Amino acid sequence: MNSFSPGFRGRGRQLAQRLPPGQYPTEQFPVLSAGPTPKVATETWAFTITTELGATHSWTWDQMMALPQQETVKDIHCVTRWSKFDTAWRGVSLDAFFEDVETAADHALVTSYGGYTTNLPLADLLDGRSWIAHTYDGYPLSPEHGGPARLLVPHLYFWKSAKWVREVRLTLEDEPGFWESVGYHNYGDPWREQRNWGD
Ligand SMILES: Nc1nc2c(c(=O)[nH]1)N[C@H]1C(S)=C(S)[C@@H](COP(=O)(O)O)O[C@H]1N2
Ligand SMILES: [Mo]
């Protein structure tokens, strides 16, 4: 018998290596929202970083669009087990927003228009690992996927990628967000299958 499975030859094999444990690939782009889609107009949109001392750094839509724009193509992994390869985004690296931010905090609590929250280490937002994304596949990000702009943190499970992102609040103590406080894993690394508290 052939010891190589035909399904794992060539491109199939490459894609299999990009699939974290317990995930299946999909060509769809499912919508997962814990509540209704908030209406967020770019005219009134603002993104704010608040430090642990209460200092705020805010950007209007036009100010955000005047920052250096990046294209990025990433695989995304939802804790409900779908993964989507090669999603194409355009947006602004969090590194650009953090350029003039002075902080001693290690933790970030991200909040959205509509009230969703999620927490992650500040380090995971930096060094080219996260974006405020406003364009998907060449088109303005649709409201159900978080438009006009969402956080994109593709190396963590997709619940960390807050849609309709509004604020990053820096904190000295870690504060669990919406899903983290009801049993989802605090960090959420798909490669270590950190789905739930205790994984
Ligand atoms: N504001 C907000 N952001 C959110 C969510 C949400 O309910 N509200 N759901 C999260 C979850 S669980 C996932 S899997 C992804 C889904 O993004 P999508 O609907 O674009 O696929 O958004 C994340 N960001
Ligand atoms: Mo999710």
Side-chain angles (χ1 to χ4, degrees):
M1 232 185 99
N2 191 334
S3 58
F4 293 92
S5 155
F8 287 86
R9 284 216 185 104
R11 174 145 170 89
R13 185 196 185 103
Q14 284 165 25
L15 291 180
Q17 286 170 347
R18 286 162 59 184
L19 198 61
Q23 297 292 112
Y24 68 87
T26 182
E27 303 279 320
Q28 311 298 120
F29 194 173
V31 171
L32 283 107
S33 301
T37 295
K39 289 198 176 68
V40 185
T42 55
E43 290 76 18
T44 52
W45 182 91
F47 173 63
T48 301
I49 296 173
T50 305
T51 74
E52 72 278 15
L53 299 175
T56 58
H57 303 250
S58 286
W59 293 263
T60 65
W61 186 263
D62 291 345
Q63 288 168 335
M64 184 266 294
M65 293 304 260
L67 293 173
Q69 305 291 312
Q70 290 184 353
E71 314 262 351
T72 188
V73 176
K74 289 282 185 273
D75 301 341
I76 55 178
H77 312 290
C78 175
V79 75
T80 63
R81 299 186 181 273
W82 57 266
S83 291
K84 188 170 172 59
F85 296 130
D86 295 324
T87 62
W89 307 84
R90 185 174 173 80
V92 177
S93 167
L94 267 283
D95 295 316
F97 293 101
F98 271 93
E99 208 152 85
D100 297 323
V101 174
E102 281 185 35
T103 182
D106 286 331
H107 307 281
L109 185 70
V110 185
T111 68
S112 296
Y113 291 95
Y116 184 84
T117 58
T118 187
N119 61 305
L120 69 172
L122 171 57
D124 287 75
L125 290 175
L126 304 177
D127 293 326
R129 293 199 287 171
S130 84
W131 293 263
I132 301 295
H134 52 73
T135 299
Y136 175 75
D137 233 357
Y139 293 94
L141 184 60
S142 65
E144 65 269 23
H145 284 301
R150 76 181 297 162
L151 184 64
L152 174 67
V153 196
H155 70 284
L156 299 177
Y157 279 125
F158 209 35
W159 87 76
K160 300 285 184 180
S161 293
K163 305 196 276 191
W164 317 294
V165 64
R166 178 177 204 162
E167 183 188 13
V168 170
R169 191 153 59 81
L170 303 173
T171 59
L172 296 175
E173 304 279 335
D174 198 8
E175 261 180 62
F178 178 80
W179 286 118
E180 293 85 0
S181 62
V182 295
Y184 280 34
H185 196 276
N186 196 52
Y187 184 61
D189 180 348
W191 294 97
R192 288 185 277 167
E193 221 174 342
Q194 294 174 334
R195 299 175 190 276
N196 300 301
W197 220 150
D199 283 346

